[in-house]
Amino acid sequence: MSDFVKVSRDGDVAVVTIDNPPVNALSFHVREPLMQALVELRDDASVAAIVIACAGRTFVAGADITEFGKPMQQPELRAIVATLETIAKPTVAAIHGTALGGGLELALGCHFRVADAGAKLGLPEVKLGLLPGGGGTVRLPRLVGAVKALKMIVSGAPIGATEAHAAGLVDAVFEGDLTTHAVNFAGEIARKGGPFTPVRDRNDGLKQTDLAAFDAGAADLARKARGLEAPIACAQSVRNAVTLPFDAALAAERALFVKLVASDQSRAQRHLFFAEREAAKLPGKDVVKRRIARVGVIGAGTMGGGIAMAFANGGYSVILLETSHEALQRGLATIDRNYSVSVTRGSLSEDAKRERLAQFKGSTDYADLADCDLIVEAVFEDMAVKKEVFGKLEAVAKPGAILATNTSYLDINEIAASTSRPQDVLGLHFFSPANVMKLLEIVRAEKTAPDALATSVDLARRIGKVAVVVGVCHGFVGNRMLAARGSESEALLLEGATPSQIDQVFTDFGWPMGPFQMGDLAGLDIGWRNRKARGQKAVIADTLCEQGRFGQKTGRGFYLYEAGARTPVPDPEVEALIRDKAAENGIAPRAISAEEIVERTLYPLINEGAKILEEGIAARASDIDVVWVNGYGFPIGKGGPMFWVGLEGPARIIERLEYWHQRTGKDVFKPARLLKRMAETGSWEAGG
Ligand code: 3H9
C-alpha cells in the first residue's frame, strides 16, 4: 500500500510494518499510510489482532526531527495514537533496536508492547530541548509510576528490555524472531478475548505514586537544570499526569510541547544533534579504512591512563608503555582504582572489571608495540620529547600503523616531518579525564593520509567519542579559543572584578563553572608551567602559584577549599592581592558589569572561532559548536558559540568588539572578516 508502511497477514493477525530507513522516523510519508492502515484494520472484521513492527535495524526512533520548526502536516502522531486507542481488538508493538521518543509513544498507544531482549526504550526528547509531545508524559507514568517516568523522561536515557519488563512498560521479552513471537502473543490474547485496556484507561503505575517524593525529585531536577526549560517542563507534565484527568494532562503536554519546539533552546539542541553527526562526515566516502585491533598508549600518567581506558572500554586490547616499571605499576594501579570506583557506583560489575583489566598489557619495551595498529603517545608536552618518542616508534611500529600524538598545542606537522612516514601521523587530542570526556579533536596534519583520518573518525565513534576533525594551529580549535576567552581574565580582575563575580556571570550563562573555578580544578600550576616555557606572565595567577596556591589540589587557588571539599569559597586574601597588584600597576578599580564580562570573554572566544573558520582549521561553524559543547561545557541550550552568535546578534558583537579594540588595541577584539560577513549574510557558510 505504501513504500513506507506495509500490511501483511499471519492468519487472522495483521502485521503493519514501518520501513523508513535509517531509523524509521515518523515522517509525514509514514504517518499518512500508517493512519490509513490502522483505520482499515480497525474496521476489518476478519482481523482479530494487530501487530506494529519495523523493518531494518530498529523500531521507530522518534518523530522526524527535520520536520520540527515547519508547519506539521496531518495526521500528527497524537491523532495516530488516539486512533490506536479506539481499536477494540488487541494491538501489540513489536520492539527491536530502539523505541525512542515518538516511537515509544506510538508503542504506548498499543494495548501491549513486546520486545526483543536487546531492545532499548526511552523518551530522549529532553536532549532536543523538548518534552515528549505524543502523550508520552501522560501514558508512561500510568504504566511505570510517576517517579520512574520522571527519571526516564528528564534524563532522556533509555532503559533495556528487561528493566522495561520489570517496570511494567513491556509485557513480554523474546529472543529470536520477534514478529513471529508478537503475532503468537497477539493471536493468543485475541483468542482468549482479553483482557486488554488502552494505556489511557490504566492506572496501575499512578496508584503507587508518592507525590511528596515526586515533588522532591522534581525540585532537585529544577536546581540542576541550569536554565534549561525542557527538564522543568517534563517534570511539570509528568506531575499533570498524576493530578489532572487524562485529557486535560494531554492538552497541557501539547501546550508545553508547542512552546518548547519554537524555543531558541530547542532550536539550539536540535542544531547540535545534527552538528555532531555532520562533524563525523569526511569527504571521500569510499576510503578503505585501516584495520585496528590492538592499540598502544605511551605514558601511563593521568592522560595516558585515561586514553588507555577509553580504548579498553571500546573493546580494544591495549598495551600501556612507560619508561620504568614503577611508573607502569602506578599507572595500572590507577586504572584498577578507577574501575573499582565504577564497580562501587554500580556502573560496572566485578566480572566486567576483571574482563576489562585483562585487556591491558603493561610494558617498558618499545618493541612490544610492534603489533599495534594504532599508537597514541601521551608523554610530556615538549617538542624534543615528542620527537624522541616518534623516532623510537618509527623503528618498531609496523608499516601502516597510525602514529598519533595527544599534544594539546604542539605543531603536529613538525612532529610528522621528523618521521619517514608523515602520512601515518595525526593528532588524537583527548580531553581529561579521557575515559569520560566525549570530545576527541582529530588533528589532520599536512600529510596525513585520508585513510588514516577516516579510520580515526570511525574509531572515535567505536569508543563512544564525538569526533571533530581540525587542522594544525597552536591549541587547535578548543584550546586556541579558550586562550582567547581567558585573554582578558587578569585585566578584568585588575580593573575591579572578582573571581567569584566573573564565575557567577559564567554560571548564570549556563556554564557548569566559571574560568577561575575551572583553573582551580585543573591545577593553576599547569598554566604557570606553560607560561614560563613560553616566556609569558600573568600577574595574579603567577603570584598565586608562587605562593603554592595551585587550586583544589592544594586547598587554595583563586578560592579556598575546605579539606577534601570541592566547593569554592571566596578568599579575602586573593581579593586583597588583586587590589595590591592593581595599585602597583596604577589601575583604579571600578564597577564591572555582567555585560562587560561577557563582552570581554565570550566575544573574543567567538571572534577567534571566526578566525579559525577563515583559516580552514575547522571545516564548519557547527564543528566548533560540537567542540565547545562536548569539551568545555558551553551550554547546550545556546547551541555552541557559533550558533549563539545568531541568538546574541552578530551586529552587536561586532560593535562591542570594535569598541574594546579601540579601547585596548588588543588583537583578540579586532573583528574577524568572517564575523563581519556573517553579520551581513546571516550565515557562516560561504555565499550566505
Ligand atoms: C520526538 O519523537 C518528538 C515526539 O515526542 C513528539 C512528536 C509530536 N529524525 O544517530 P545516527 C538520522 S523527538 C530524523 O548516526 P545510530 C541522523 O541524523 C525525536 N533523522 O545512527 C542520521 O542521519 P545522517 C526523539 C534522524 O545508529 C541517521 O538518522 N528521538 C532521527 O548511531 C543515523 O543516525 C530521538 O531523539 C530522527 N528522529 O543511532 C532519537 N534519528 O546519516 C534520535 C536519527 O544523514 N536518534 N536520524 O547523518 C538517535 O538517538 C539515534 O539516531 C539512534 C541511532 C540511537 C536512533
Side-chain angles (χ1 to χ4, degrees):
M1 59 184 299
S2 139
D3 284 348
F4 303 102
V5 177
K6 297 193 177 71
V7 178
S8 60
R9 289 288 186 102
D10 190 332
D12 56 2
V13 178
V15 179
V16 179
T17 305
I18 298 170
D19 188 4
N20 185 28
V23 298
N24 288 316
L26 285 173
S27 318
F28 168 64
H29 59 246
V30 170
R31 295 195 306 273
E32 197 179 42
L34 178 61
M35 180 69 141
Q36 201 185 334
L38 291 175
V39 169
E40 281 173 21
L41 294 171
R42 178 188 63 187
D43 301 338
D44 184 339
S46 70
V47 172
I50 303 167
V51 168
I52 300 181
C54 283
R57 65 188 199 206
T58 179
F59 192 75
V60 174
D64 184 339
I65 304 168
T66 61
E67 290 182 1
F68 293 152
K70 302 172 191 158
M72 190 54 79
Q73 287 171 287
Q74 303 298 334
E76 284 182 38
L77 170 62
R78 289 177 316 141
I80 295 173
V81 175
T83 301
L84 264 171
E85 286 183 330
T86 63
I87 298 180
K89 41 193 144 194
T91 51
V92 178
I95 297 168
H96 77 291
T98 46
L100 298 177
L104 182 54
E105 292 175 305
L106 178 71
L108 284 166
C110 295
H111 296 111
F112 302 97
R113 285 142 298 282
V114 300
D116 176 71
K120 290 203 153 91
L121 300 88
L123 293 171
E125 285 87 343
V126 73
K127 295 183 184 169
L128 299 168
L130 298 170
L131 85 168
T137 64
V138 188
R139 288 190 182 83
L140 185 63
R142 288 181 149 68
L143 295 185
V144 306
V147 172
K148 184 156 184 84
L150 179 76
K151 190 167 167 224
M152 284 178 68
I153 294 171
V154 174
S155 73
I159 59 173
T162 315
E163 185 180 345
H165 188 212
L169 173 56
V170 156
D171 301 283
V173 178
F174 295 114
E175 306 218 15
D177 184 57
L178 183 65
T179 312
T180 306
H181 284 301
V183 165
N184 292 341
F185 181 95
E188 198 160 316
I189 291 188
R191 266 187 301 286
K192 281 202 252 163
F196 47 91
T197 313
V199 175
R200 60 170 291 144
D201 298 330
R202 287 173 58 177
N203 68 351
D204 351 355
L206 291 186
K207 274 193 297 204
Q208 316 150 7
T209 299
D210 171 349
L211 210 53
F214 178 89
D215 284 342
D220 191 38
L221 291 167
R223 266 195 304 280
K224 291 180 188 149
R226 270 201 242 121
L228 291 177
E229 294 151 17
I232 313 280
C234 287
Q236 179 58 51
S237 201
V238 176
R239 193 178 201 282
N240 292 343
V242 183
T243 56
L244 299 181
F246 180 85
D247 287 319
L250 207 59
E253 179 197 85
R254 180 65 188 165
L256 287 168
F257 181 84
V258 168
K259 189 165 157 254
L260 286 179
V261 81
S263 69
D264 285 342
Q265 288 188 356
S266 177
R267 275 204 310 120
Q269 288 179 252
R270 274 146 37 205
H271 157 76
L272 288 169
F273 177 85
F274 291 112
E276 281 181 15
R277 282 153 183 85
E278 202 59 30
K281 288 179 190 153
L282 289 175
K285 263 198 165 133
D286 302 330
V287 176
V288 179
K289 295 179 190 84
R290 302 185 190 183
R291 185 179 164 273
I292 307 286
R294 182 177 285 250
V295 178
V297 177
I298 305 177
T302 309
M303 206 62 211
I307 294 172
M309 284 176 73
F311 282 111
N313 296 348
Y316 293 91
S317 59
V318 179
I319 299 189
L320 192 58
L321 194 92
E322 254 299 350
T323 44
S324 72
H325 187 69
E326 294 69 42
L328 183 61
Q329 289 316 314
R330 243 193 336 269
L332 289 170
T334 305
I335 290 172
D336 192 313
R337 236 186 352 265
N338 288 342
Y339 282 130
S340 297
V341 172
S342 305
V343 172
T344 314
R345 287 196 185 137
S347 56
L348 195 73
S349 70
E350 273 292 353
D351 282 350
K353 177 189 158 186
R354 248 191 315 278
E355 280 167 28
R356 212 54 71 78
L357 287 174
Q359 288 168 247
F360 291 89
K361 191 179 156 216
S363 172
T364 53
D365 184 356
Y366 270 75
D368 285 337
L369 298 175
D371 263 359
C372 292
D373 308 293
L374 162 73
I375 303 165
V376 189
E377 69 74 17
V379 301
F380 191 63
E381 189 76 343
D382 177 277
M383 183 56 90
V385 179
K386 302 275 190 201
K387 282 186 181 168
E388 192 189 323
V389 167
F390 273 80
K392 288 183 185 160
L393 278 186
E394 201 174 14
V396 296
K398 65 181 179 190
I402 297 175
L403 309 181
T405 168
N406 177 53
T407 181
S408 310
Y409 291 98
L410 296 175
D411 181 350
I412 301 179
N413 288 328
E414 191 180 331
I415 298 176
S418 75
T419 75
S420 63
R421 32 173 132 168
Q423 72 280 2
D424 298 331
V425 177
L426 46 73
L428 288 183
H429 183 212
F430 287 85
F431 288 71
S432 191
N435 52 318
V436 177
M437 293 293 287
K438 283 259 168 226
L439 179 64
L440 180 62
E441 279 184 326
I442 301 183
V443 191
R444 170 182 21 85
E446 261 165 24
K447 297 202 171 144
T448 306
D451 65 338
L453 199 63
T455 306
S456 303
V457 171
D458 190 52
L459 190 67
R461 190 178 162 103
R462 285 170 196 270
I463 62 171
K465 300 290 176 201
V466 176
V468 180
V469 175
V470 301
V472 175
C473 66
H474 188 76
F476 315 122
V477 169
N479 282 344
R480 175 168 156 187
M481 288 172 71
L482 183 68
R485 188 187 84 172
S487 60
E488 287 285 275
S489 296
E490 291 262 322
L492 280 165
L493 293 179
L494 292 170
E495 288 171 41
T498 61
S500 53
Q501 183 199 358
I502 294 176
D503 284 345
Q504 183 71 48
V505 170
F506 272 72
T507 47
D508 288 349
F509 187 86
W511 298 83
M513 64 179 83
F516 297 104
Q517 291 165 346
M518 185 176 129
D520 273 3
L521 175 69
L524 299 178
D525 50 323
I526 300 175
W528 189 37
R529 207 171 43 228
N530 286 342
R531 281 193 296 278
K532 280 198 281 194
R534 307 180 70 203
Q536 294 171 341
K537 281 198 162 47
V539 181
I540 295 158
D542 287 358
T543 311
L544 292 178
C545 288
E546 281 153 17
Q547 295 173 357
R549 302 183 67 126
F550 292 166
Q552 282 190 21
K553 59 182 157 190
T554 55
R556 302 179 321 152
F558 277 102
Y559 296 94
L560 282 176
Y561 300 87
E562 293 197 359
R566 285 164 172 263
T567 314
V569 180
D571 185 354
E573 266 185 40
V574 173
E575 281 162 28
L577 167 77
I578 295 170
R579 278 197 304 276
D580 289 350
K581 291 289 173 192
E584 273 172 34
N585 287 277
I587 302 167
R590 60 184 171 84
I592 308 267
S593 68
E595 290 79 49
E596 180 173 341
I597 292 169
V598 168
E599 289 170 11
R600 292 176 68 183
T601 54
L602 299 189
Y603 290 7
L605 169 95
I606 283 158
N607 204 30
E608 200 64 31
K611 290 176 191 168
I612 280 170
L613 261 185
E614 235 169 70
E615 293 166 26
I617 297 294
R620 295 165 277 247
S622 60
D623 286 1
I624 298 178
D625 291 334
V626 174
V627 166
W628 271 82
V629 164
N630 290 286
Y632 299 84
F634 194 98
I636 50 173
K638 293 193 165 66
M642 308 313 270
F643 183 86
W644 182 61
V645 172
L647 300 178
E648 180 77 344
R652 177 192 151 75
I653 296 174
I654 291 172
E655 193 248 304
R656 297 311 292 163
L657 281 171
E658 274 165 350
Y659 169 84
W660 289 110
H661 185 231
Q662 225 166 30
R663 207 168 139 163
T664 65
K666 290 182 187 168
D667 261 2
V668 281
F669 292 119
K670 190 164 172 232
R673 194 174 42 78
L674 206 64
L675 182 58
K676 289 186 172 168
R677 200 192 68 193
M678 195 278 176
E680 283 159 19
T681 63
S683 162
W684 290 110
E685 306 295 322

